[in-house]
Amino acid sequence: MRAIAVSALRADPVLVELPKPEPRPGEVRVRIEYASLNPLDWQVVDGSAGDLAPAPRSFPFVLGVDYAGRVDMIGEGENRFHVGDAVFGRAGVTGTAAAPEAGGTYGEYVCVPQDSAITLVPRGLDPRAAAALPSAGMAAAQILEAVALRGHDTLLVVGAAGGIGCCLTQLARARDIRVIAAVRGDERSRMGSLGAAATVDLTAGPPAGALRSACPDGIDALADLASAAPDGFAAHAAAVRPGGIALSTRGAAAGARLPEGVRGVDFRLDPSPVLLDVLAAGAADGILRVPIDTELPLEEAPQALKRNRAGGARGKTVIGLHRPGRR
Ligand SMILES: NC(=O)c1ccc[n+]([C@@H]2O[C@H](COP(=O)([O-])OP(=O)(O)OC[C@H]3O[C@@H](n4cnc5c(N)ncnc54)[C@H](OP(=O)(O)O)[C@@H]3O)[C@@H](O)[C@H]2O)c1
C-alpha cells in the first residue's frame, strides 16, 4: 500500500510502498478514504509532542491519526464491526505496548482495535467531513467541559481559526457562551460566521486594548491552542479574571506564571467512541460544521505538513486516499 512515512525521528516524511497491515485479534482493518491532518502528526515525528505522545518506536513510521473509510477485514474473535461498515475515528498515535508498530492513517489501510475511538459514520455525514472531525471535534468538546463555562460567560480562544478553534467556537456558541476569537490576520467574517461574538487580530499589536473593549467585564476562561511557550501563554492568561481558568492544549500551563486566582490547566484529549457518536450526530444534523480548508492527494501530504508547521490553518486539511466508490 502507499503511505507517507518517516524512516527515523525528525526525518522528512516521504511517500513509500509498504505491505498491507494484517488485523490482530480484536482489531479491524480499515480501507481509508480520507485522513485529516493534525499538528500532532508532525509534532510526534519532531519529538516535540511532549507528554501527549511518545516518540515513534519503530520505523518506517506512518504518520496520521484521523481517518474515515470502510472496514475491509476483521481480526479473530468477537467484533462489533462488519466488513463493509463505513467508519471513522482516531487511531493510536504511536501504537501500543502490544503493537508498537501500529500504523498511522496517511496510508491506504490501517488496523485499529475495535474498542478504540472508532464508530460508524452516520447517514448524512460524508466521509470527508467524518475524517476531519475526530481529533479537533473531540478536543473542542472536552475543552468546553474542562473550562466549565455557563451561558453568557466569555471564552477567549487563541488560535481560533484552526481545526479545534472552529469546532470550539461553534460548540461554545451553541451553549450561549460568548467567544472572543484571537487569530493572526483579519478573520472577522470567518469567525463571525462560526458564532464568535468578537474577533481580535493578534498581528495588530498587543491584544489587551482590543480585549478590554470586546469584553469590558473580563474573560472567564482562556483556551490557548497556539502558544507553545509558557511566557506566550501567560501573556494571554493575563486577560482572565481572578477565579477564571486558563487552558493550554500545548502543555504551556504548567511552567507559566499566571495571574493571582487564575487556574492553569494543561489539557489532554481522552478519545472515546461515544463522544465521536455525539459529534457525528451534530455534524450530520448541520449543528457542527467542520470547515475544510484544503483537500489534497496523499503524495502532497508532506508539503501540507510543512505548511501547517508554519501556522495559518483555516479549518482542516483532508487527504484523499481511496475515493468512496472506487476500488
Ligand atoms: N493536549 C491535547 O491533548 C491536544 C489535543 C489536540 C490538539 N492539541 C494541540 O492543539 C494545537 C491546536 O490544534 P489544531 O488542530 O487546532 O491545529 P491547527 O488546525 O493547525 O490550528 C492551529 C491554529 O493556531 C494558529 N496559530 C499557530 N501559531 C500561532 C501563534 N504563534 N499565535 C497565534 N496563533 C497561532 C494558526 O493560525 P495563525 O497562524 O494564522 O494564527 C492556526 O489557525 C496543536 O498544537 C495540537 O497538537 C493538543
mmCIF file of all heavy atoms in Angstrom, residues 38-40 43 52 139 158-159 161-165 183-184 202 225-226 249-250 267-269 308 311-315, ligand 1:
data_model
loop_
_atom_site.group_PDB
_atom_site.id
_atom_site.type_symbol
_atom_site.label_atom_id
_atom_site.label_comp_id
_atom_site.label_asym_id
_atom_site.label_seq_id
_atom_site.Cartn_x
_atom_site.Cartn_y
_atom_site.Cartn_z
ATOM 1 N N ASN A 38 -3.438 16.764 11.500
ATOM 2 C CA ASN A 38 -3.393 17.423 12.811
ATOM 3 C C ASN A 38 -1.950 17.799 13.117
ATOM 4 O O ASN A 38 -1.034 17.051 12.738
ATOM 5 C CB ASN A 38 -3.890 16.464 13.902
ATOM 6 C CG ASN A 38 -5.371 16.213 13.796
ATOM 7 O OD1 ASN A 38 -6.182 17.077 14.114
ATOM 8 N ND2 ASN A 38 -5.751 15.036 13.309
ATOM 9 N N PRO A 39 -1.729 18.914 13.838
ATOM 10 C CA PRO A 39 -0.349 19.287 14.170
ATOM 11 C C PRO A 39 0.398 18.171 14.903
ATOM 12 O O PRO A 39 1.609 18.025 14.756
ATOM 13 C CB PRO A 39 -0.519 20.506 15.074
ATOM 14 C CG PRO A 39 -1.841 21.097 14.675
ATOM 15 C CD PRO A 39 -2.701 19.937 14.286
ATOM 16 N N LEU A 40 -0.360 17.348 15.651
ATOM 17 C CA LEU A 40 0.284 16.247 16.357
ATOM 18 C C LEU A 40 1.050 15.329 15.398
ATOM 19 O O LEU A 40 2.059 14.731 15.784
ATOM 20 C CB LEU A 40 -0.795 15.445 17.114
ATOM 21 C CG LEU A 40 -0.295 14.398 18.094
ATOM 22 C CD1 LEU A 40 0.516 15.062 19.213
ATOM 23 C CD2 LEU A 40 -1.462 13.614 18.700
ATOM 24 N N GLN A 43 4.340 16.922 15.087
ATOM 25 C CA GLN A 43 4.957 17.083 16.416
ATOM 26 C C GLN A 43 5.534 15.752 16.901
ATOM 27 O O GLN A 43 6.619 15.709 17.502
ATOM 28 C CB GLN A 43 3.918 17.615 17.415
ATOM 29 C CG GLN A 43 3.519 19.074 17.144
ATOM 30 C CD GLN A 43 2.237 19.513 17.857
ATOM 31 O OE1 GLN A 43 1.553 18.715 18.484
ATOM 32 N NE2 GLN A 43 1.894 20.793 17.737
ATOM 33 N N LEU A 52 2.111 14.355 25.291
ATOM 34 C CA LEU A 52 0.911 14.000 24.535
ATOM 35 C C LEU A 52 1.070 12.681 23.789
ATOM 36 O O LEU A 52 0.101 11.969 23.566
ATOM 37 C CB LEU A 52 0.541 15.097 23.530
ATOM 38 C CG LEU A 52 0.150 16.433 24.145
ATOM 39 C CD1 LEU A 52 -0.214 17.418 23.063
ATOM 40 C CD2 LEU A 52 -1.017 16.241 25.102
ATOM 41 N N ALA A 139 -11.444 17.192 20.865
ATOM 42 C CA ALA A 139 -10.703 18.150 21.702
ATOM 43 C C ALA A 139 -11.593 19.341 22.044
ATOM 44 O O ALA A 139 -11.664 19.770 23.201
ATOM 45 C CB ALA A 139 -9.436 18.606 20.993
ATOM 46 N N VAL A 158 -7.476 31.391 21.598
ATOM 47 C CA VAL A 158 -6.298 31.828 20.836
ATOM 48 C C VAL A 158 -5.930 30.711 19.847
ATOM 49 O O VAL A 158 -5.821 29.551 20.239
ATOM 50 C CB VAL A 158 -5.109 32.135 21.775
ATOM 51 C CG1 VAL A 158 -3.851 32.459 20.965
ATOM 52 C CG2 VAL A 158 -5.458 33.272 22.709
ATOM 53 N N GLY A 159 -5.775 31.067 18.569
ATOM 54 C CA GLY A 159 -5.573 30.055 17.523
ATOM 55 C C GLY A 159 -6.925 29.550 17.045
ATOM 56 O O GLY A 159 -7.080 28.390 16.665
ATOM 57 N N ALA A 161 -8.852 29.992 14.466
ATOM 58 C CA ALA A 161 -9.244 29.705 13.071
ATOM 59 C C ALA A 161 -8.841 28.312 12.606
ATOM 60 O O ALA A 161 -9.176 27.908 11.501
ATOM 61 C CB ALA A 161 -8.628 30.752 12.141
ATOM 62 N N GLY A 162 -8.146 27.544 13.469
ATOM 63 C CA GLY A 162 -7.703 26.205 13.074
ATOM 64 C C GLY A 162 -8.770 25.158 13.340
ATOM 65 O O GLY A 162 -9.945 25.480 13.566
ATOM 66 N N GLY A 163 -8.343 23.887 13.301
ATOM 67 C CA GLY A 163 -9.290 22.777 13.418
ATOM 68 C C GLY A 163 -10.069 22.803 14.734
ATOM 69 O O GLY A 163 -11.301 22.800 14.735
ATOM 70 N N ILE A 164 -9.362 22.819 15.857
ATOM 71 C CA ILE A 164 -10.062 22.808 17.151
ATOM 72 C C ILE A 164 -10.849 24.099 17.317
ATOM 73 O O ILE A 164 -12.006 24.087 17.749
ATOM 74 C CB ILE A 164 -9.062 22.668 18.329
ATOM 75 C CG1 ILE A 164 -8.299 21.352 18.237
ATOM 76 C CG2 ILE A 164 -9.799 22.754 19.666
ATOM 77 C CD1 ILE A 164 -7.238 21.168 19.316
ATOM 78 N N GLY A 165 -10.219 25.233 16.980
ATOM 79 C CA GLY A 165 -10.849 26.534 17.214
ATOM 80 C C GLY A 165 -12.189 26.671 16.508
ATOM 81 O O GLY A 165 -13.152 27.192 17.085
ATOM 82 N N VAL A 183 -6.905 35.528 16.469
ATOM 83 C CA VAL A 183 -6.277 34.899 15.302
ATOM 84 C C VAL A 183 -5.188 35.826 14.753
ATOM 85 O O VAL A 183 -5.128 37.000 15.126
ATOM 86 C CB VAL A 183 -7.320 34.616 14.189
ATOM 87 C CG1 VAL A 183 -8.393 33.674 14.679
ATOM 88 C CG2 VAL A 183 -7.953 35.901 13.704
ATOM 89 N N ARG A 184 -4.367 35.298 13.870
ATOM 90 C CA ARG A 184 -3.383 36.161 13.211
ATOM 91 C C ARG A 184 -3.949 36.540 11.853
ATOM 92 O O ARG A 184 -4.073 35.664 10.982
ATOM 93 C CB ARG A 184 -2.042 35.443 13.111
ATOM 94 C CG ARG A 184 -1.428 35.231 14.497
ATOM 95 C CD ARG A 184 -0.020 34.746 14.438
ATOM 96 N NE ARG A 184 0.091 33.404 13.896
ATOM 97 C CZ ARG A 184 1.198 32.686 13.911
ATOM 98 N NH1 ARG A 184 2.291 33.184 14.448
ATOM 99 N NH2 ARG A 184 1.224 31.483 13.402
ATOM 100 N N LEU A 202 -4.227 39.250 16.236
ATOM 101 C CA LEU A 202 -3.031 39.275 17.084
ATOM 102 C C LEU A 202 -1.848 39.955 16.400
ATOM 103 O O LEU A 202 -0.841 40.244 17.046
ATOM 104 C CB LEU A 202 -2.645 37.844 17.491
ATOM 105 C CG LEU A 202 -3.641 37.127 18.414
ATOM 106 C CD1 LEU A 202 -3.278 35.658 18.560
ATOM 107 C CD2 LEU A 202 -3.693 37.786 19.789
ATOM 108 N N LEU A 225 -4.778 27.542 22.025
ATOM 109 C CA LEU A 225 -4.498 26.392 21.152
ATOM 110 C C LEU A 225 -3.195 26.592 20.387
ATOM 111 O O LEU A 225 -2.840 25.755 19.559
ATOM 112 C CB LEU A 225 -5.650 26.224 20.143
ATOM 113 C CG LEU A 225 -7.067 26.373 20.708
ATOM 114 C CD1 LEU A 225 -8.098 26.365 19.585
ATOM 115 C CD2 LEU A 225 -7.356 25.262 21.704
ATOM 116 N N ALA A 226 -2.513 27.729 20.631
ATOM 117 C CA ALA A 226 -1.385 28.094 19.776
ATOM 118 C C ALA A 226 -0.058 28.232 20.517
ATOM 119 O O ALA A 226 0.980 27.837 19.993
ATOM 120 C CB ALA A 226 -1.699 29.400 19.051
ATOM 121 N N THR A 249 -3.575 23.730 25.177
ATOM 122 C CA THR A 249 -3.526 22.400 24.538
ATOM 123 C C THR A 249 -2.081 22.023 24.226
ATOM 124 O O THR A 249 -1.830 20.954 23.692
ATOM 125 C CB THR A 249 -4.318 22.364 23.210
ATOM 126 O OG1 THR A 249 -3.762 23.324 22.314
ATOM 127 C CG2 THR A 249 -5.798 22.600 23.430
ATOM 128 N N ARG A 250 -1.123 22.905 24.525
ATOM 129 C CA ARG A 250 0.255 22.655 24.112
ATOM 130 C C ARG A 250 1.205 22.464 25.287
ATOM 131 O O ARG A 250 2.413 22.632 25.161
ATOM 132 C CB ARG A 250 0.737 23.791 23.205
ATOM 133 C CG ARG A 250 -0.184 23.947 21.994
ATOM 134 C CD ARG A 250 0.491 24.547 20.815
ATOM 135 N NE ARG A 250 1.640 23.769 20.367
ATOM 136 C CZ ARG A 250 2.510 24.182 19.472
ATOM 137 N NH1 ARG A 250 2.349 25.379 18.920
ATOM 138 N NH2 ARG A 250 3.537 23.437 19.110
ATOM 139 N N PHE A 267 -4.418 20.698 29.031
ATOM 140 C CA PHE A 267 -5.467 19.813 28.516
ATOM 141 C C PHE A 267 -4.864 18.540 27.936
ATOM 142 O O PHE A 267 -3.802 18.571 27.325
ATOM 143 C CB PHE A 267 -6.247 20.551 27.422
ATOM 144 C CG PHE A 267 -7.202 19.683 26.669
ATOM 145 C CD1 PHE A 267 -8.408 19.321 27.242
ATOM 146 C CD2 PHE A 267 -6.903 19.221 25.397
ATOM 147 C CE1 PHE A 267 -9.299 18.507 26.551
ATOM 148 C CE2 PHE A 267 -7.790 18.409 24.695
ATOM 149 C CZ PHE A 267 -8.989 18.053 25.285
ATOM 150 N N ARG A 268 -5.592 17.443 28.107
ATOM 151 C CA ARG A 268 -5.189 16.182 27.483
ATOM 152 C C ARG A 268 -6.422 15.485 26.921
ATOM 153 O O ARG A 268 -7.372 15.218 27.656
ATOM 154 C CB ARG A 268 -4.517 15.310 28.531
ATOM 155 C CG ARG A 268 -3.906 14.142 27.919
ATOM 156 C CD ARG A 268 -2.854 13.516 28.783
ATOM 157 N NE ARG A 268 -2.164 12.582 27.912
ATOM 158 C CZ ARG A 268 -0.915 12.300 28.000
ATOM 159 N NH1 ARG A 268 -0.174 12.893 28.881
ATOM 160 N NH2 ARG A 268 -0.377 11.420 27.204
ATOM 161 N N LEU A 269 -6.392 15.237 25.641
ATOM 162 C CA LEU A 269 -7.529 14.604 24.966
ATOM 163 C C LEU A 269 -7.716 13.160 25.442
ATOM 164 O O LEU A 269 -6.747 12.433 25.595
ATOM 165 C CB LEU A 269 -7.276 14.612 23.446
ATOM 166 C CG LEU A 269 -8.316 13.941 22.562
ATOM 167 C CD1 LEU A 269 -9.648 14.666 22.638
ATOM 168 C CD2 LEU A 269 -7.837 13.894 21.112
ATOM 169 N N ASN A 308 1.483 23.454 7.692
ATOM 170 C CA ASN A 308 0.794 23.501 8.980
ATOM 171 C C ASN A 308 1.745 23.917 10.101
ATOM 172 O O ASN A 308 1.376 24.651 11.023
ATOM 173 C CB ASN A 308 0.158 22.141 9.290
ATOM 174 C CG ASN A 308 -0.629 22.170 10.589
ATOM 175 O OD1 ASN A 308 -0.136 21.777 11.648
ATOM 176 N ND2 ASN A 308 -1.852 22.676 10.542
ATOM 177 N N GLY A 311 1.907 27.534 10.834
ATOM 178 C CA GLY A 311 0.676 28.194 11.287
ATOM 179 C C GLY A 311 -0.214 28.511 10.106
ATOM 180 O O GLY A 311 0.018 28.051 8.981
ATOM 181 N N GLY A 312 -1.253 29.292 10.372
ATOM 182 C CA GLY A 312 -2.119 29.750 9.292
ATOM 183 C C GLY A 312 -3.239 28.797 8.914
ATOM 184 O O GLY A 312 -3.928 29.039 7.917
ATOM 185 N N ALA A 313 -3.455 27.701 9.693
ATOM 186 C CA ALA A 313 -4.556 26.787 9.343
ATOM 187 C C ALA A 313 -5.880 27.531 9.417
ATOM 188 O O ALA A 313 -6.115 28.316 10.333
ATOM 189 C CB ALA A 313 -4.575 25.588 10.302
ATOM 190 N N ARG A 314 -6.730 27.267 8.447
ATOM 191 C CA ARG A 314 -8.088 27.835 8.433
ATOM 192 C C ARG A 314 -9.043 26.674 8.287
ATOM 193 O O ARG A 314 -9.426 26.300 7.195
ATOM 194 C CB ARG A 314 -8.249 28.835 7.268
ATOM 195 C CG ARG A 314 -7.290 30.022 7.346
ATOM 196 C CD ARG A 314 -7.691 30.932 8.523
ATOM 197 N NE ARG A 314 -6.776 32.025 8.766
ATOM 198 C CZ ARG A 314 -5.843 32.040 9.725
ATOM 199 N NH1 ARG A 314 -5.648 30.987 10.500
ATOM 200 N NH2 ARG A 314 -5.099 33.103 9.914
ATOM 201 N N GLY A 315 -9.427 26.045 9.384
ATOM 202 C CA GLY A 315 -10.185 24.801 9.317
ATOM 203 C C GLY A 315 -9.247 23.630 9.108
ATOM 204 O O GLY A 315 -8.069 23.692 9.475
HETATM 205 N N1 LIG B 1 -3.379 18.439 24.502
HETATM 206 C C1 LIG B 1 -4.030 17.611 23.681
HETATM 207 O O1 LIG B 1 -4.477 16.508 24.044
HETATM 208 C C2 LIG B 1 -4.240 18.080 22.284
HETATM 209 C C3 LIG B 1 -5.259 17.511 21.500
HETATM 210 C C4 LIG B 1 -5.444 18.029 20.203
HETATM 211 C C5 LIG B 1 -4.598 19.035 19.730
HETATM 212 N N2 LIG B 1 -3.618 19.514 20.517
HETATM 213 C C6 LIG B 1 -2.756 20.618 20.042
HETATM 214 O O2 LIG B 1 -3.526 21.808 19.945
HETATM 215 C C7 LIG B 1 -2.955 22.663 18.955
HETATM 216 C C8 LIG B 1 -4.034 23.205 18.024
HETATM 217 O O3 LIG B 1 -4.587 22.133 17.272
HETATM 218 P P1 LIG B 1 -5.437 22.395 15.948
HETATM 219 O O4 LIG B 1 -5.836 21.069 15.444
HETATM 220 O O5 LIG B 1 -6.466 23.418 16.181
HETATM 221 O O6 LIG B 1 -4.281 23.000 14.987
HETATM 222 P P2 LIG B 1 -4.421 23.804 13.603
HETATM 223 O O7 LIG B 1 -5.637 23.360 12.882
HETATM 224 O O8 LIG B 1 -3.121 23.730 12.916
HETATM 225 O O9 LIG B 1 -4.690 25.300 14.082
HETATM 226 C C9 LIG B 1 -3.787 25.997 14.890
HETATM 227 C C10 LIG B 1 -4.153 27.479 14.809
HETATM 228 O O10 LIG B 1 -3.308 28.235 15.664
HETATM 229 C C11 LIG B 1 -2.861 29.395 14.977
HETATM 230 N N3 LIG B 1 -1.502 29.690 15.438
HETATM 231 C C12 LIG B 1 -0.399 28.998 15.245
HETATM 232 N N4 LIG B 1 0.645 29.556 15.847
HETATM 233 C C13 LIG B 1 0.167 30.631 16.426
HETATM 234 C C14 LIG B 1 0.745 31.625 17.213
HETATM 235 N N5 LIG B 1 2.049 31.604 17.472
HETATM 236 N N6 LIG B 1 -0.026 32.609 17.690
HETATM 237 C C15 LIG B 1 -1.336 32.600 17.419
HETATM 238 N N7 LIG B 1 -1.949 31.684 16.680
HETATM 239 C C16 LIG B 1 -1.193 30.706 16.172
HETATM 240 C C17 LIG B 1 -2.895 29.089 13.497
HETATM 241 O O11 LIG B 1 -3.313 30.151 12.671
HETATM 242 P P3 LIG B 1 -2.436 31.505 12.534
HETATM 243 O O12 LIG B 1 -1.038 31.083 12.433
HETATM 244 O O13 LIG B 1 -2.945 32.174 11.293
HETATM 245 O O14 LIG B 1 -2.791 32.259 13.742
HETATM 246 C C18 LIG B 1 -3.991 28.011 13.403
HETATM 247 O O15 LIG B 1 -5.209 28.545 12.943
HETATM 248 C C19 LIG B 1 -1.889 21.814 18.241
HETATM 249 O O16 LIG B 1 -0.599 22.159 18.668
HETATM 250 C C20 LIG B 1 -2.232 20.388 18.656
HETATM 251 O O17 LIG B 1 -1.141 19.495 18.645
HETATM 252 C C21 LIG B 1 -3.417 19.075 21.771
#
